[in-house]
Amino acid sequence: MNETRWLDEREMAAWEGFLQASNRVARHLEQQLRDEAGLSHPQYEILVRLEACPHGEIRMTELADLLITSKSGLTYQVGQLERRGLVRRRSCPTDVRGVLAVITDEGRRVLREAAPGHVAAVRASLIDLLEPEELEVLAGALGRVGRRLAIDRAPG
Amino acid sequence: MNETRWLDEREMAAWEGFLQASNRVARHLEQQLRDEAGLSHPQYEILVRLEACPHGEIRMTELADLLITSKSGLTYQVGQLERRGLVRRRSCPTDVRGVLAVITDEGRRVLREAAPGHVAAVRASLIDLLEPEELEVLAGALGRVGRRLAIDRAPG
DNA sequence: TCGACGTTATTCGAATTTGAACAACCTGAA
DNA sequence: TTCAGGTTGTTCAAATTCGAATAACGTCGA
């Protein structure tokens, strides 16, 4: 058991900044989407990912990985979206067990309407608060963090 | 209604990196704390904040603001911690409505035991993945983001 | 061909979170 | 002093999240 390497002042500042920014940005976006588009952030993300897929469809497990959520959580949210007609399910042609989540025309329409307000909120809460160099560093550093943590992830 | 300013490539990279890093780091820490200390991250944060306060105590509303959570959510978590003897409540001497959350000796002990593992996880999932310059930039930029969003917050 | 083993999506119960409603209380200006 | 208006912490119902358990299905080597 090694001696604990505590955080020094600048490490602490980075950590607290990261935590606080994560929380506040998340809250900001959640509220904006809820108010202006009637969607939760998880729901919005599902629509975004689906639209980016060929034919607007993808396997449930793959989608769960993209969204960094649990499979059961995705089942629930896709169920919500299906109820509202923004997504539908169809069974996978190559694997009887498989389910494809598919974005509907209505889903695309809702997404198209929600996107401008969402992008504005992302700018207001993060992007436009950063200098160009900061943006660059953030993209590089946090991209590395995400990729690093993506590796040693237990299956959900 | 202005034309939407969509995100360019580097802005998108920063945004996606931020989102993904937030999610993955949060998951990593949640699991580590649960496994090694039997605490959720919110609970750990409550203990940390309390210990940093004079006499290890603070008003509920102030604590909720520090933690960036709702008042009702805090009521619940403090209730959980009280059940386990890590925190106790006492009424505020200067305001009959007020309640002070107080960390107990047992709470301090549990926190002391949990801290090394938590710091190690924070290092492994974020801090030690960053170059010194990146750390500096992150602290500055995300600190600004947090402070900016702290201002226009609706009361909870 | 046949199992052993891993995958797939869902269901279930338990835990957690939120905002609204609420009762009780402070505060400051008239 | 009074009282309108804001605060305080809790309770409540509803929504969401997670992991374990489950049933059904692929895959691969012997």
Side-chain angles (χ1 to χ4, degrees):
Chain A
M1 207 66 81
N2 289 332
E3 201 78 2
T4 296
R5 288 170 51 225
W6 300 102
L7 302 186
D8 65 28
E9 197 168 324
R10 61 180 59 178
E11 287 169 336
M12 190 60 96
W15 171 236
E16 299 226 311
F18 180 80
L19 260 194
Q20 186 160 131
S22 296
N23 282 323
R24 291 206 193 277
V25 169
R27 273 176 180 273
H28 195 256
L29 291 184
E30 185 69 33
Q31 186 164 355
Q32 179 273 326
L33 279 171
R34 198 75 78 173
D35 291 349
E36 297 180 23
L39 292 169
S40 67
H41 193 230
Q43 289 170 351
Y44 181 85
E45 284 285 302
I46 289 174
L47 295 181
V48 168
R49 299 294 186 174
L50 285 179
E51 165 138 275
C53 290
H55 310 303
E57 64 184 19
I58 191 178
R59 291 285 290 274
M60 292 293 280
T61 293
E62 283 187 79
L63 186 51
D65 287 344
L66 288 177
L67 299 174
I68 316 176
T69 188
S70 64
K71 285 182 302 180
S72 54
L74 181 62
T75 293
Y76 174 78
Q77 285 297 359
V78 166
Q80 295 299 305
L81 290 171
E82 195 170 30
R83 220 165 288 205
R84 293 171 53 179
L86 310 186
V87 163
R88 67 185 176 82
R89 285 176 224 243
R90 73 184 190 92
S91 58
C92 179
T94 65
D95 187 336
V96 181
R97 301 165 303 174
V99 171
L100 290 162
V102 193
I103 190 171
T104 63
D105 290 343
E106 175 68 0
R108 291 185 196 268
R109 193 187 63 71
V110 167
L111 181 57
R112 203 160 42 235
E113 278 190 12
H118 177 68
V119 171
V122 169
R123 285 197 173 281
S125 65
L126 182 71
I127 299 296
D128 286 353
L129 303 179
L130 304 175
E131 303 295 328
E133 317 88 59
E134 293 176 332
L135 204 84
E136 201 74 26
V137 171
L138 235 122
L142 296 185
R144 187 187 323 129
V145 169
R147 285 190 299 278
R148 178 65 185 77
L149 296 183
I151 299 172
D152 44 33
R153 217 165 78 83
Chain B
M1 209 63 82
N2 289 332
E3 201 78 4
T4 295
R5 290 169 51 225
W6 300 102
L7 301 185
D8 65 29
E9 198 168 325
R10 61 180 60 180
E11 288 170 334
M12 190 59 97
W15 171 237
E16 299 225 311
F18 180 80
L19 259 193
Q20 187 162 129
S22 296
N23 282 323
R24 292 205 194 275
V25 169
R27 275 177 178 272
H28 195 256
L29 291 184
E30 186 69 33
Q31 187 165 355
Q32 180 272 326
L33 278 173
R34 198 75 80 174
D35 291 349
E36 297 181 23
L39 292 169
S40 67
H41 192 231
Q43 289 170 350
Y44 181 86
E45 284 285 303
I46 289 174
L47 295 181
V48 168
R49 298 295 185 173
L50 285 179
E51 164 138 275
C53 291
H55 309 302
E57 65 183 18
I58 191 177
R59 290 285 289 275
M60 293 292 282
T61 294
E62 283 187 78
L63 186 51
D65 287 344
L66 288 177
L67 298 173
I68 315 174
T69 187
S70 65
K71 287 183 302 179
S72 54
L74 180 62
T75 292
Y76 175 79
Q77 285 296 359
V78 166
Q80 295 299 306
L81 290 171
E82 195 170 30
R83 220 164 288 203
R84 292 170 56 179
L86 309 187
V87 163
R88 65 185 178 84
R89 284 177 224 244
R90 73 182 190 95
S91 58
C92 178
T94 65
D95 189 334
V96 181
R97 299 165 304 174
V99 170
L100 290 162
V102 193
I103 189 172
T104 64
D105 290 343
E106 175 69 1
R108 292 185 197 268
R109 192 187 65 71
V110 166
L111 181 57
R112 204 159 43 232
E113 277 189 12
H118 176 67
V119 171
V122 169
R123 285 197 173 282
S125 65
L126 182 70
I127 299 296
D128 286 353
L129 302 179
L130 304 174
E131 304 294 329
E133 318 86 59
E134 293 176 333
L135 203 84
E136 201 75 26
V137 171
L138 234 122
L142 296 186
R144 188 187 323 131
V145 168
R147 285 189 300 277
R148 179 66 184 78
L149 296 184
I151 299 173
D152 45 33
R153 214 163 81 82

